[in-house]
Structure formats: C-alpha cells, structure tokens
Amino acid sequence: MLKIEKLTKIYRTDEVETIALNSISFNVQKGEFIAIMGPSGCGKTTLLNILGLLDNPDDGSYIMDKIELAKLKEKQRTQYRKGNIGFIFQNFNLIDELTVYENVELPLNYLKIDSNEKKEAVNQVLKRMNISHRAKHFPHQLSGGQQQRVAIARSVVAKPKILLADEPTGNLDSKNGKDVMDLLTELNREGATIIMVTHSKEDSLYAHRVINLFDGHII
Ligand code: ADP
Ligand code: MG
C-alpha cells in the first residue's frame, strides 16, 4: 500500500547541514500496524511528517496506492492529505474554541458530504470512541484520556487510508495510555493501517512490526 524508497531530508540552516533522514526505504502493507522507535533526534517526527504530507522530502519516492506523493505541490499535497490521512498527536491538538462535536466534524467540512451523512458519521465515531456524552463540551472540560479519544475520533471520521500517530500516549498516564493503545489495536483489527512513533517499548508491543531508526537510518 505504501512504498517508501530512499527518502532523504536535509535541514539547512546558515552553515549547518543536518541529514535528518538518510535514504530510508520500507514498504507497508494494507492493514499493518507499524511502530517507529529510536532515540531523540533520530528523525522519527521528520519521517512521520513526510508520510503525513506535512512536509516534503529532498529526495526519494513515497508512493501510496500507486500515486507518487513525494513531489506533489503544496495545494495538491494539502488536498490529498485531507482526503486520505488521519493524524494523532502527542498533545491532542484539539481546537479549544470548538466543542467535541465540532472538532470531530472538522475533517468532513473539507470534503463534499451532505449534512445528514456528516451528522451520522460524527455521531457514529463519537459513539465508537465512547465519548458521545461529552459532544457539547469543550476540550478543556475533558481529561487527557478523553481528549485523546476525541482526537482519535477526529482522525478516523473521514475514513482515511492511513492513520499516523506521533507518541499518542506520551501525555497520558498508564491507564489512559493503555486505553488509547487498545483503541488503536481495535481500529487496526477493523482494517486501519497505522504507523505510530513511540518511545514506549510497551506500546511498541501492540504493533506487528517495529522500525528502529538511528541517526536518520533504519537499523
Ligand atoms: P525525533 O522526532 O526522532 O526526535 P526529528 O525528526 O525531530 O527527530 O529531528 C531529526 C533531526 O533533524 C534532529 O537532528 C533535529 O535537530 C533536526 N531538525 C528537525 N527539524 C529541524 C528544522 N526545522 N530545522 C533544522 N533541523 C531540524
Ligand atoms: Mg519527535
């Protein structure tokens, strides 16, 4: 489903050149759950941002379902991202001014879906994440675990092809972290393809496969 070949990313500032990703290659099958691990600064976030089309590589190829994404222009990149990629962040990244319902609805507002269909999709995913009773509340009224469940609801509501998560349990205590990992596992069993960056050995055990990065290389 994903074919990543010789992805390279170099950050250049004044006189310093940092090779954040040094010719990374791997494939991902549909329905796989992959964990990316490695020490701080090894390139995990850079890789996930490129896979999530939040950034472009300097070199290499990134093919999803036969479409080359590495060389898309900004506008096409954004459009492809909104229709196909779900993102879960360590710090939840919910919008404080919007209710739980409105946060989850957001990705659907970029797609052409009629309002009944939209309502049904949002309600269904809120129920699925066991957070329907908080639909009218604002993010600051929720616990961290609940906020991450809302963020997961938002990431899957548009039925993306792939789900990317950057340290999804990093800001949670162990009970809430385990709940989030159980939820991701269930989504994976229902067919979601997931790539997750994690520091946690324990969380990595939920994945089918671990990719270890070190200094921009896969080891
Ligand atoms: P990780 O997520 O594994 O901690 P990152 O992908 O954030 O690592 O960073 C990889 C390397 O690239 C690090 O050396 C980091 O300092 C560098 N880096 C990341 N973003 C930038 C940037 N915007 N400008 C310059 N260097 C960067
Ligand atoms: Mg990082």
Side-chain angles (χ1 to χ4, degrees):
M1 179 194 178
L2 299 190
K3 196 168 158 58
I4 288 126
E5 232 170 49
K6 297 185 179 167
L7 271 194
T8 299
K9 179 75 180 178
I10 302 168
Y11 292 111
R12 292 184 180 85
T13 46
D14 297 337
E15 283 137 44
V16 191
E17 216 176 60
T18 308
I19 305 177
L21 297 179
N22 194 341
S23 200
I24 297 271
S25 304
F26 61 97
N27 291 339
V28 179
Q29 306 300 323
K30 192 170 172 359
E32 261 197 302
F33 187 171
I34 292 194
I36 297 175
M37 295 191 81
S40 186
C42 71
K44 304 183 295 295
T45 295
T46 302
L47 177 59
L48 209 68
N49 285 347
I50 290 174
L51 298 181
L53 300 182
L54 298 169
D55 203 353
N56 262 347
D58 290 290
D59 204 0
S61 158
Y62 171 25
I63 294 171
M64 188 185 310
D65 286 339
K66 297 187 178 144
I67 304 172
E68 173 56 82
L69 302 177
K71 292 176 182 80
L72 288 186
K73 296 269 184 303
E74 179 81 26
K75 202 175 157 197
Q76 297 167 299
R77 203 169 71 182
T78 307
Q79 208 169 13
Y80 192 89
R81 183 175 70 236
K82 284 176 175 164
N84 298 290
I85 296 169
F87 230 113
I88 301 163
F89 301 89
Q90 178 173 352
N91 61 0
F92 324 132
N93 267 6
L94 298 173
I95 298 177
D96 288 331
E97 294 73 23
L98 300 182
T99 64
V100 163
Y101 186 97
E102 289 162 343
N103 266 283
V104 173
E105 185 184 37
L106 214 52
L108 298 177
N109 294 340
Y110 300 109
L111 307 174
K112 291 195 180 81
I113 302 177
D114 82 69
S115 65
N116 278 336
E117 212 178 314
K118 199 153 81 172
K119 217 181 279 178
E120 201 178 302
V122 175
N123 284 327
Q124 195 184 0
V125 79
L126 285 174
K127 197 168 159 199
R128 176 73 185 72
M129 299 301 148
N130 205 5
I131 199 90
S132 301
H133 57 301
R134 310 304 293 267
K136 289 182 179 156
H137 290 193
F138 289 89
H140 73 268
Q141 298 172 306
L142 307 182
S143 72
Q146 289 169 331
Q147 288 189 53
Q148 194 59 306
R149 292 206 320 262
V150 174
I152 294 173
R154 178 184 59 183
S155 76
V156 297
V157 72
K159 302 202 178 351
K161 283 186 182 160
I162 186 159
L163 206 51
L164 304 176
D166 197 351
E167 308 250 10
T169 67
N171 283 14
L172 301 176
D173 61 30
S174 61
K175 160 82 173 68
N176 281 310
K178 187 177 176 306
D179 287 348
V180 161
M181 289 311 302
D182 285 340
L183 208 45
L184 291 180
T185 304
E186 281 174 33
L187 289 170
N188 174 248
R189 291 206 177 118
E190 290 160 17
T193 307
I194 302 178
I195 302 179
M196 167 184 76
V197 164
T198 183
H199 261 110
S200 155
K201 180 91 189 163
E202 212 171 299
D203 288 359
S204 77
L205 297 176
Y206 287 80
H208 299 133
R209 195 149 62 99
V210 179
I211 294 177
N212 280 296
L213 286 188
F214 187 80
D215 209 8
H217 293 275
I218 291 180
I219 53 169

